Amino acid sequence: MAVRMRLLRTEGFIILFILILAQGFHYSRTCDCDQQYFCNCSSNHLQQVPKVPANALGLDLSFNQIESIDMYDLSPYSELKTLNLHKNKLKFIHKEAFKSQHKLEVLDLSLNNLKNLSSSWFHELNSLQHLNLVENPYTTLGPAPIFQSLLNLRTLRFGSPSLREVYKNGLDGLTHLDEMTFVGSNLRSYENGSLKAARPIGLVSLSLQNLFQNNPELVSKVLQDVSHPETLLIIKDVALRTNTSTEPFKAAREGGTKSLSFQKTTTTDEAMTSLLMVMDGSSLSYIGLEDVHLIGQGWWQKASYTHYENLHTAYIRNLDIQGFFGFSSMMQLGFILLHLHKVSVINGTVFVIPQQTTPLLKNLEYLDLSQNLLSDLTIEPTLYTGFGAYQNLNTLNVSQNVLKSLGLMSRLATNLKSLTYLDLSHNSFVSMPENCSWPATLRFLNLSSTKLRKMTPCLPSSLTALDLSENDLMVFHQRFPQLTMLILTGNRFMKLPQGELFPRLQTLLIQRNALRMFNGSDLRRFKTLQYLEASNNNFVCSCEFVSFFRQGVDHFITIRDGRRNYVCDTPFTLRGDAVDSVRLSVFECYMIPAVLVLCSVIIIVLGLIVVTCYKFHIIWYLQMTKAWIQAKRKPAVGRLAEELRYDAFVSYSQHDAEWVEEILVPELESAHPPFALCLHKRDFQPGRWIVDNIIDSIEKSHRTLFVLSEHFVTSEWCRYELDFSHFRIVDEHNDSAVLVLLEPIKKETIPKRFCKLRKIMNSRTYLEWPEDEEKRSEFWSNLRAALQRDE
Ligand SMILES: *[C@@H]1O[C@H](CO)[C@@H](O)[C@H](O)[C@H]1NC(C)=O
Ligand SMILES: *[C@@H]1O[C@H](CO)[C@@H](O)[C@H](O)[C@H]1NC(C)=O
Ligand SMILES: *[C@@H]1O[C@H](CO)[C@@H](O)[C@H](O)[C@H]1NC(C)=O
Ligand SMILES: *[C@@H]1O[C@H](CO)[C@@H](O)[C@H](O)[C@H]1NC(C)=O
Ligand SMILES: *[C@@H]1O[C@H](CO)[C@@H](O)[C@H](O)[C@H]1NC(C)=O
Ligand SMILES: *[C@@H]1O[C@H](CO)[C@@H](O)[C@H](O)[C@H]1NC(C)=O
Ligand SMILES: *[C@@H]1O[C@H](CO)[C@@H](O)[C@H](O)[C@H]1NC(C)=O
Ligand SMILES: *[C@@H]1O[C@H](CO)[C@@H](O)[C@H](O)[C@H]1NC(C)=O
Ligand SMILES: *[C@@H]1O[C@H](CO)[C@@H](O)[C@H](O)[C@H]1NC(C)=O
């Protein structure tokens, strides 16, 4: 039993190993699968569907050379939500290829080589929301319904230049479509009602190119089907040159189209005039022109009798006008301009709105002239407010022009009595005047990227939102009692501005500045702040900041730009680390107290050592050891009798000087023969070091006479045990030492460490100075005998 188990386990491992190998081999070569189970196998020269983990949610196979999808190619991937096969060479897809993709939401088959579409592909794709089939060489749509099973489809992109015929039932079943793109530049036949959806589609984009010119009837039929008041109609990639090409828009007018947009379109004055005439009286309220090339000068006055009371919004972007400089007054467009409430002309080389024209804009509420060529010279006529012009203007965007004077802008803006939103970003103001005036209604001001270096009291204190991002500002002084949002991103602030200046501020953005830190007391000064975005600053990761950021900051505000993006700049060792992940040691955090404690500990330990040394005479023992080692090394030197100048060197304590000088010396020096005594007081060479003197004297003396008293033993002996032990005078086997006890000394009183003295006193007899006068002569004769040189 056990053996079989083990076998099974081994087999299991081997299989697992092979599986891992096989999978690793397949996956790693072609696809990157990320943590969200999205596998990107784009641009890998694949010729068939590669193997990826079975739980993949997304699979990008675009830009490969896959020619077919067979029945089982995709069957393992039942979790797939996104499948992208854009730009392959797909010729064949098996009927049941998508059978297990119940969860698929996005399918892109664009730019392939599919000649026939099959409804059976889509049978199981009940969850599909976005389907892209453009640019395949199929030639027909219908007559059999194809998308019937796609009950949840919201976006459909369909068609190609090869499409010739569209039959009525092609779109049957698409009940939830929000957005449709239809490409049919070479359509030959179109059955009425083919693109009519069950309910109006929010956005229909048509790319029919030359059909407007060549087959307006067919285009009419298409427009008839897709036009609806709720549908935004986008006409793409067309050239509208003559009045014929605009005929089909009748159908759009009749369908009640309210929003019409032209993209990537070339047109002429003639076609525009004709379009205006065709759409006369329509309910059009929005007209868009994006990437439009106009051949003409705006001479559309033939259509001036038309009625466009509903046309409120004109959105024009990337307009290229060939006869641009012929637009001298635009008076001729008055019949349209009068009604407009919102006008955007973005990137349209506008350098002026002539002063005569502005009174036509009396209904204007929103004017976006960003990315144009307005300058200080031309902004004045452009914002001319005479004759009631701009009286309702509440939003003005002159971002990305070439304005230089903020003073001028403020003066002109003062006349815009309804202005609440002013975007002046991406101009080159550089400086602010000291004094400005603004309309009292102004609430939002955008001065981003205007190269400002310094704040002055110029800005209006009525603002609720102020964007000063991407400038060179360092300090903030002005008070804004109403401000709720302040953007200072990309400046040079080194600390947060003072919170007291903004009693209502809720959101503060101050990323990419030079902030070094912020703390509770900084944030407390903002009474109402809720959101802070301050990542990418030069944070100094001090203990104070790190601990505040990790624990305290959430009590004050919500960090909205990802805590991970708050990164240390200093100290160098922490540069690039997220503040959140920094761990600082106690020592780093409490440097001064830590150093103090450390020093105190060292001092105490040293003190203890000193006390111990003193108490147990450790130093003394150490010196002793050293001396003893030296003594052992030094060879014994025999002393020659001739070298001995003295009979005895007398060593005594200052205490006993009286006895030595008055009794001992006279007695011995007057003896017959007299003894030559060496006394340090008398015979030492002046100027020499005392120790050298003593050594010298001992060396030149036959004996050394120690006059022992309590005092000598406790205070002087130590020097001998130490310094002179290597002369062996204190050696117990040497008899050159003569001891005289001036007073009885109890052995116990001799400190233990003077072991030599103890030994000498034990091993040798010593002479005691008798109190009794009668015994003194005996003492003297003994002493003389002891000092006597052997002849
Ligand atoms: C897949 O990778 C390509 C580059 O190899 C990239 O261009 C594409 O955006 C990636 N697709 C997705 C969905 O990330
Ligand atoms: C495509 O359809 C046509 C007729 O509709 C048929 O003749 C042809 O064989 C089909 N081709 C493929 C590859 O199914
Ligand atoms: C299709 O519509 C047009 C008008 O838009 C009409 O003249 C034509 O008779 C219709 N054709 C069919 C088959 O209904
Ligand atoms: C279209 O233009 C041509 C010449 O430009 C003109 O003769 C014709 O009357 C115009 N048709 C309409 C309907 O305006
Ligand atoms: C501005 O418009 C021109 C065409 O008039 C276009 O070529 C250019 O790319 C546009 N610039 C931007 C930033 O959109
Ligand atoms: C003003 O124009 C700029 C550039 O086109 C744009 O980014 C900004 O959002 C516009 N401002 C408003 C208020 O629409
Ligand atoms: C500021 O404006 C006031 C009047 O509005 C004027 O008296 C004053 O001289 C101006 N100061 C500066 C420095 O322009
Ligand atoms: C200010 O203008 C800049 C540049 O056009 C834009 O990115 C930013 O979003 C604007 N700020 C606000 C608050 O709209
Ligand atoms: C808080 O930080 C500021 C600088 O941002 C500093 O001036 C202030 O002393 C700090 N306050 C406390 C209590 O640490």
Side-chain angles (χ1 to χ4, degrees):
M1 191 64 184
V3 174
R4 250 180 59 195
M5 284 277 287
R6 202 168 333 130
L7 261 176
L8 274 177
R9 220 184 295 160
T10 322
E11 267 174 343
F13 276 132
I14 290 170
I15 289 167
L16 195 70
F17 184 65
I18 289 170
L19 270 178
I20 288 170
L21 259 187
Q23 296 203 342
F25 184 68
H26 272 290
Y27 301 161
S28 61
R29 216 177 42 162
T30 52
C31 303
D32 293 329
C33 296
D34 64 17
Q35 267 132 19
Q36 281 76 46
Y37 305 105
F38 186 94
C39 299
N40 193 345
C41 321
S42 178
S43 313
N44 267 313
H45 310 287
L46 298 173
Q47 299 192 337
Q48 57 192 23
V49 176
K51 295 257 184 309
V52 295
N55 56 0
L57 294 178
L59 185 52
D60 185 349
L61 296 172
S62 58
F63 302 97
N64 283 299
Q65 267 117 46
I66 302 172
E67 293 194 356
S68 68
I69 300 181
D70 294 312
M71 185 166 172
Y72 299 111
D73 282 354
L74 291 169
S75 53
Y77 314 124
S78 55
E79 300 295 318
L80 268 192
K81 287 194 161 155
T82 303
L83 177 59
N84 187 353
L85 282 155
H86 174 79
K87 189 137 183 25
N88 275 275
K89 296 183 170 170
L90 278 182
K91 270 196 247 170
F92 171 78
I93 298 178
H94 190 275
K95 273 185 191 170
E96 299 192 355
F98 303 124
K99 205 175 172 192
S100 44
Q101 273 70 51
H102 303 281
K103 298 186 178 167
L104 198 67
E105 290 172 5
V106 181
L107 177 60
D108 190 343
L109 294 170
S110 57
L111 255 174
N112 275 292
N113 208 8
L114 296 169
K115 291 209 165 80
N116 287 2
L117 298 178
S118 163
S119 61
S120 46
W121 296 340
F122 306 121
H123 272 162
E124 307 295 332
L125 302 180
N126 315 105
S127 308
L128 199 68
Q129 294 181 15
H130 308 281
L131 176 60
N132 191 348
L133 289 167
V134 297
E135 306 298 330
N136 276 286
Y138 46 77
T139 56
T140 60
L141 173 62
I146 292 197
F147 305 117
Q148 247 177 347
S149 14
L150 301 176
L151 296 175
N152 287 304
L153 201 69
R154 296 172 168 277
T155 312
L156 174 66
R157 293 175 204 279
F158 186 83
S160 76
S162 316
L163 190 66
R164 295 285 185 276
E165 292 153 336
V166 174
Y167 294 102
K168 196 169 176 173
N169 301 321
L171 294 186
D172 276 9
L174 296 178
T175 51
H176 284 82
L177 218 53
D178 293 329
E179 208 180 307
M180 180 172 71
T181 300
F182 181 75
V183 182
S185 44
N186 289 308
L187 209 58
R188 298 271 165 73
S189 95
Y190 179 87
E191 228 176 58
N192 286 2
S194 299
L195 292 182
K196 192 152 191 83
R199 48 160 218 179
I201 304 173
L203 187 156
V204 173
S205 168
L206 298 177
S207 173
L208 300 173
Q209 300 190 2
N210 294 329
L211 283 185
F212 279 90
Q213 192 71 48
N214 303 339
N215 195 347
E217 290 79 31
L218 188 144
V219 177
S220 288
K221 287 199 268 182
V222 176
L223 288 188
Q224 202 173 13
D225 284 349
V226 296
S227 298
H228 188 278
E230 288 166 35
T231 302
L232 164 61
L233 186 58
I234 298 177
I235 307 296
K236 248 180 155 167
D237 311 311
V238 291
L240 302 174
R241 290 176 190 278
T242 62
N243 55 11
T244 11
S245 61
T246 56
E247 283 297 311
F249 288 99
K250 253 184 209 144
R253 188 192 67 202
E254 280 155 18
T257 296
K258 283 184 172 167
S259 308
L260 179 60
S261 179
F262 293 92
Q263 295 180 357
K264 296 194 196 152
T265 297
T266 302
T267 187
T268 59
D269 276 352
E270 183 191 347
M272 285 312 288
T273 311
S274 160
L275 178 72
L276 286 171
M277 291 181 348
V278 166
M279 297 287 285
D280 181 24
S282 72
S283 44
L284 202 65
S285 71
Y286 171 93
I287 180 110
L289 303 174
E290 290 184 56
D291 301 297
V292 166
H293 178 61
L294 174 67
I295 303 169
Q297 302 178 351
W299 297 112
W300 307 343
Q301 64 270 52
K302 264 198 207 162
S304 57
Y305 66 87
T306 52
H307 303 86
Y308 282 96
E309 282 78 17
N310 296 315
L311 188 61
H312 281 186
T313 307
Y315 181 85
I316 299 168
R317 184 170 197 128
N318 303 346
L319 179 66
D320 170 32
I321 303 175
Q322 206 176 47
F324 175 68
F325 291 102
F327 267 85
S328 53
S329 79
M330 291 195 272
M331 289 299 282
Q332 73 274 21
L333 299 179
F335 65 100
I336 308 172
L337 299 181
L338 261 177
H339 305 294
L340 288 169
H341 289 226
K342 279 182 87 171
V343 171
S344 304
V345 185
I346 302 166
N347 184 22
T349 49
V350 176
F351 59 90
V352 71
I353 298 179
Q355 189 167 324
Q356 308 93 291
T357 314
T358 58
L360 297 172
L361 297 168
K362 63 170 184 269
N363 285 317
L364 210 61
E365 290 165 11
Y366 180 103
L367 179 59
D368 184 346
L369 291 174
S370 57
Q371 299 182 44
N372 283 300
L373 302 169
L374 297 170
S375 67
D376 285 352
L377 268 182
T378 60
I379 192 71
E380 199 147 3
T382 302
L383 292 181
Y384 174 70
T385 50
F387 306 102
Y390 299 126
Q391 283 317 289
N392 296 315
L393 193 71
N394 60 44
T395 303
L396 175 63
N397 192 346
V398 286
S399 168
Q400 293 188 54
N401 279 280
V402 286
L403 302 168
K404 291 210 164 75
S405 169
L406 186 59
L408 175 66
M409 262 327 287
S410 91
R411 190 160 59 72
L412 294 175
T414 315
N415 299 326
L416 306 171
K417 299 294 180 205
S418 310
L419 196 68
T420 55
Y421 197 120
L422 178 57
D423 191 339
L424 295 173
S425 60
H426 288 281
N427 283 289
S428 304
F429 296 127
V430 183
S431 65
M432 283 187 193
E434 289 295 326
N435 247 357
C436 304
S437 58
W438 300 95
T441 45
L442 197 63
R443 296 292 175 268
F444 306 90
L445 180 59
N446 195 338
L447 281 168
S448 169
S449 307
T450 49
K451 306 191 181 141
L452 293 174
R453 300 210 184 111
K454 216 175 123 234
M455 291 269 297
T456 67
C458 166
L459 302 183
S461 52
S462 63
L463 294 178
T464 59
L466 173 59
D467 188 341
L468 284 168
S469 56
E470 315 300 338
N471 283 298
D472 271 332
L473 301 171
M474 295 177 76
V475 280
F476 208 109
H477 298 304
Q478 207 184 335
R479 196 179 134 88
F480 288 91
Q482 308 296 328
L483 206 64
T484 58
M485 166 137 131
L486 176 61
I487 306 178
L488 297 173
T489 302
N491 278 283
R492 298 198 285 145
F493 284 88
M494 291 172 72
K495 51 186 182 180
L496 293 182
Q498 298 162 35
E500 291 83 5
L501 298 175
F502 318 102
R504 300 216 178 142
L505 196 68
Q506 290 173 359
T507 308
L508 175 61
L509 275 58
I510 187 163
Q511 296 119 315
R512 288 187 285 106
N513 274 271
L515 287 191
R516 297 168 64 76
M517 66 165 311
F518 51 86
N519 54 30
S521 47
D522 291 334
L523 293 181
R524 203 170 291 121
R525 297 165 78 176
F526 294 89
K527 291 281 175 283
T528 53
L529 194 64
Q530 290 174 14
Y531 302 107
L532 178 68
E533 297 184 14
S535 59
N536 296 308
N537 273 290
N538 303 343
F539 289 120
V540 177
C541 283
S542 61
C543 301
E544 191 198 3
F545 178 63
V546 169
S547 80
F548 174 69
F549 188 80
R550 295 203 3 228
Q551 281 137 30
V553 74
D554 291 333
H555 300 307
F556 295 97
I557 39 100
T558 306
I559 293 216
R560 240 182 9 185
D561 51 343
R563 299 176 72 100
R564 288 258 115 209
N565 300 321
Y566 288 68
V567 167
C568 303
D569 183 59
T570 40
F572 185 71
T573 47
L574 296 177
R575 180 168 292 176
D577 291 359
V579 178
D580 246 352
S581 67
V582 166
R583 300 281 179 275
L584 289 168
S585 68
V586 175
F587 188 76
E588 285 167 300
C589 288
Y590 304 97
M591 180 76 110
I592 292 171
V595 168
L596 284 182
V597 167
L598 197 71
C599 288
S600 319
V601 168
I602 290 174
I603 288 169
I604 290 172
V605 168
L606 283 179
L608 281 177
I609 290 174
V610 167
V611 168
T612 320
C613 286
Y614 180 77
K615 187 119 191 170
F616 298 101
H617 308 282
I618 286 177
I619 305 281
W620 191 86
Y621 280 112
L622 285 176
Q623 288 176 327
M624 198 58 218
T625 312
K626 184 174 159 221
W628 181 79
I629 289 169
Q630 282 175 345
K632 292 284 164 203
R633 283 216 200 114
K634 183 168 174 145
V637 199
R639 291 186 296 173
L640 296 171
E642 313 73 84
E643 288 171 2
L644 301 174
R645 244 177 85 191
Y646 302 107
D647 290 309
F649 168 69
V650 184
S651 182
Y652 58 98
S653 154
Q654 198 50 41
H655 223 250
D656 309 318
E658 200 186 322
W659 182 81
V660 171
E661 285 158 22
E662 289 178 11
I663 299 178
L664 177 80
V665 173
E667 178 69 34
L668 290 181
E669 287 193 340
S670 62
H672 296 283
F675 287 93
L677 296 181
C678 175
L679 297 184
H680 61 86
K681 257 192 193 167
R682 192 181 62 190
D683 302 308
F684 279 6
Q685 290 179 22
R688 270 182 92 187
W689 188 39
I690 181 99
V691 178
D692 286 347
N693 259 324
I694 294 174
I695 292 169
D696 199 41
S697 306
I698 290 175
E699 287 203 318
K700 289 180 180 156
S701 303
H702 181 228
R703 297 263 193 267
T704 303
L705 176 62
F706 292 104
V707 180
L708 299 182
S709 61
E710 292 264 4
H711 199 261
F712 185 90
V713 166
T714 49
S715 72
E716 309 265 317
W717 179 256
C718 124
R719 190 191 298 155
Y720 290 93
E721 279 237 30
L722 266 186
D723 295 347
F724 313 126
S725 58
H726 53 284
F727 292 108
R728 296 160 198 257
I729 45 163
V730 287
D731 209 328
E732 57 268 35
H733 303 304
N734 188 325
D735 56 359
S736 68
V738 176
L739 308 183
V740 172
L741 255 60
L742 264 193
E743 54 196 15
I745 298 175
K746 290 195 195 115
K747 288 258 176 66
E748 307 83 70
T749 62
I750 300 176
K752 279 215 178 86
R753 61 185 197 280
F754 297 156
C755 51
K756 283 222 170 120
L757 180 62
R758 284 159 160 252
K759 276 188 188 161
I760 295 174
M761 288 183 74
N762 280 343
S763 67
R764 215 166 296 166
T765 48
Y766 38 81
L767 302 169
E768 277 183 79
W769 174 247
E771 290 291 318
D772 194 348
E773 296 229 8
E774 285 168 17
K775 292 187 182 162
R776 286 193 181 158
S777 60
E778 189 191 343
F779 167 80
W780 290 123
S781 67
N782 283 346
L783 182 58
R784 278 196 294 269
L787 297 179
Q788 204 72 59
R789 293 196 200 196
D790 312 316
E791 291 307 320

